[in-house]
Amino acid sequence: MRILSGIQPSGKLHLGNYLGMMKPALELQQQGEAFIFIANYHALTSVSNAAHLRRHTLDVALDFLACGLDPERTAFYRQSDVPEVTELTWILSNVTPMGLLERCHSYKDKVARGISANHGLFAYPVLMAADILIVQSDVVPVGRDQKQHVEVARDLALKFNHQFGEVFKIPEPSIRDDVAVVPGLDGRKMSKSYGNTIEIFESHKQAKQSIMRIVTDSKTVEDKKNPEECNVFALYRLLATAEQQEDLAERYRRGGLGYGQAKKELLELFEARFAPLREKREELARNPDAVEAVLRRGAERARAEAVKTLKRAREAVGLE
Ligand code: ADP
Ligand code: TRP
């Protein structure tokens, strides 16, 4: 089984990215041949400063390695080190109906938020399809917001294969229901565009500040509370064992537990999970040359696959 996923280097890694995409992708590493990449071509749609893009790219590399990406098992690379994807994007563009792209939620949401659309933003799902199809992926672990894009990749692969002969495998999205939409500090989807995130690699002090900002209702300490309606509990359950969840839920229902206390317990869980990763990341950051070497090696492996697929696609359409 081939597993592929990518993340844009466009901001700091948050709990939604980690639980929704990174952790599931890293767990799948054990079950097959994994390709994980840093989508820096995609990031050009939102990052317009070269130094920022370079910085964010290194950040994502450090994030993944600190969180357990095993570069011996997994091909870990920068998208732009496999330039074949851009050629495949062009080939796929010619089997991409305008209507399919116009229906993409992510594009519509960005336009609705006032981001002025350019061709890169509009064509983004075609580039993503090329990422997926070029290494003949079977499974694509993503958060729910990316499901539609993986479906676009499937549609384009089916259409291409039908028109030109079998070249691409048909990929499946893999979405874990329990973490498909991790809620943010305000209860909406956690997203850097809403400013409601808890960053994984921020300092202990910043993590504490974020957690203390989680929006709660105005019940007093004595009041009985419904854990199912609480933003603090919604995050707690994602990090806690079944026993810990039941224990806290029981104290919510009984009354006598303040939101401040619940937040404190959430912070403890967060720290227990991420403080060791923070240390590992600091260690990796001291040796950027080693990180660079990992990415180059990963690109060689991904490129070997990409070249093969691209050749078949070029032949199928008559470029060769
Ligand atoms: P953001 O919404 O902060 O801009 P991205 O769109 O860059 O995040 O998402 C990167 C990856 O993380 C995608 O696979 C996406 O599905 C996943 N992801 C982002 N936010 C969440 C969330 N709140 N819950 C689950 N998965 C998420
Ligand atoms: N669009 C994805 C995001 O914003 C990143 C991405 C690019 C991706 N290409 C991909 C994810 C291919 C999975 C597969 O998060």
Side-chain angles (χ1 to χ4, degrees):
M1 179 173 73
R2 261 204 197 151
I3 302 129
L4 170 128
S5 197
I7 191 165
Q8 286 192 66
S10 52
K12 298 262 165 74
L13 184 75
H14 59 69
L15 196 60
N17 305 139
Y18 175 80
L19 293 173
M21 176 273 186
M22 184 181 273
K23 189 162 162 276
L26 293 176
E27 283 167 4
L28 283 173
Q29 276 185 123
Q30 312 307 331
Q31 290 176 31
E33 194 185 350
F35 292 79
I36 295 185
F37 70 97
I38 307 171
N40 56 351
Y41 285 141
H42 278 98
L44 287 175
T45 61
S46 61
V47 183
S48 50
N49 174 305
H52 289 178
L53 185 58
R54 280 188 206 104
R55 177 72 237 169
H56 289 323
T57 302
L58 176 64
D59 277 339
V60 174
L62 293 170
D63 292 343
F64 265 105
L65 293 168
C67 289
L69 185 142
D70 175 358
E72 298 303 320
R73 285 193 79 94
T74 296
F76 183 40
Y77 56 100
R78 260 183 304 249
Q79 188 181 29
S80 59
D81 289 340
V82 185
E84 287 76 12
V85 293
T86 59
E87 185 175 344
L88 184 60
T89 302
W90 179 249
I91 294 175
L92 292 174
S93 290
N94 297 290
V95 292
T96 309
M98 292 290 282
L100 186 67
L101 298 181
E102 277 160 359
R103 281 194 296 278
C104 285
H105 305 303
S106 158
Y107 170 73
K108 288 198 290 193
D109 289 352
K110 283 180 185 146
V111 173
R113 271 192 270 129
I115 296 172
S116 79
N118 60 27
H119 176 249
L121 192 66
F122 186 64
Y124 180 117
V126 190
L127 177 60
M128 181 156 161
D131 295 326
I132 296 170
L133 302 179
I134 208 160
V135 301
Q136 305 284 353
S137 319
D138 298 291
V139 179
V140 184
V142 281
R144 184 161 293 148
D145 56 345
Q146 294 295 324
K147 181 168 181 249
Q148 193 184 29
H149 290 157
V150 182
E151 284 163 359
V152 169
R154 284 174 62 88
D155 285 357
L156 299 188
L158 287 165
K159 198 147 177 261
F160 184 100
N161 287 352
H162 180 69
Q163 209 163 316
F164 297 106
E166 293 293 314
V167 171
F168 301 115
K169 260 203 201 152
I170 311 302
E172 290 281 345
S174 155
I175 295 166
R176 293 253 299 258
D177 276 340
D178 50 336
V179 288
V181 184
V182 175
L185 304 180
D186 54 0
R188 291 188 293 172
K189 176 200 159 204
M190 185 176 289
S191 171
K192 53 185 170 282
S193 19
Y194 298 148
N196 64 355
T197 62
I198 305 176
E199 290 169 13
I200 300 290
F201 290 114
E202 59 193 351
S203 63
H204 170 76
K205 194 168 151 221
Q206 284 166 310
K208 184 170 172 187
Q209 278 169 2
S210 301
I211 288 174
M212 292 304 155
R213 274 176 49 219
I214 297 174
V215 178
T216 53
D217 60 28
S218 53
K219 291 206 171 76
T220 64
V221 173
E222 294 73 37
D223 289 336
K224 295 182 174 160
K225 303 177 179 68
N226 181 355
E228 301 306 324
E229 288 170 0
C230 176
N231 293 329
V232 183
F233 191 80
L235 288 168
Y236 184 88
R237 76 152 27 117
L238 297 174
L239 298 176
T241 62
E243 243 174 28
Q244 288 169 321
Q245 289 178 45
E246 200 27 62
D247 174 64
L248 185 64
E250 172 53 30
R251 285 185 287 137
Y252 263 78
R253 291 189 209 104
R254 211 189 302 144
L257 173 95
Y259 289 121
Q261 176 62 24
K263 288 178 178 178
K264 188 166 158 270
E265 293 182 27
L266 171 61
L267 178 64
E268 280 165 14
L269 280 189
F270 183 88
E271 283 297 304
R273 169 89 65 111
F274 296 113
L277 304 188
R278 212 183 278 146
E279 269 176 41
K280 187 162 172 215
R281 191 180 187 284
E282 280 164 16
E283 199 181 303
L284 289 160
R286 280 185 228 115
N287 195 352
D289 291 348
V291 175
E292 183 60 31
V294 162
L295 294 177
R296 285 191 193 277
R297 212 161 8 106
E300 274 169 33
R301 281 164 68 186
R303 220 171 161 189
E305 291 306 320
V307 165
K308 277 194 267 174
T309 305
L310 183 62
K311 182 163 174 39
R312 289 176 55 204
R314 285 173 59 104
E315 282 168 0
V317 299
L319 291 170
E320 287 190 22

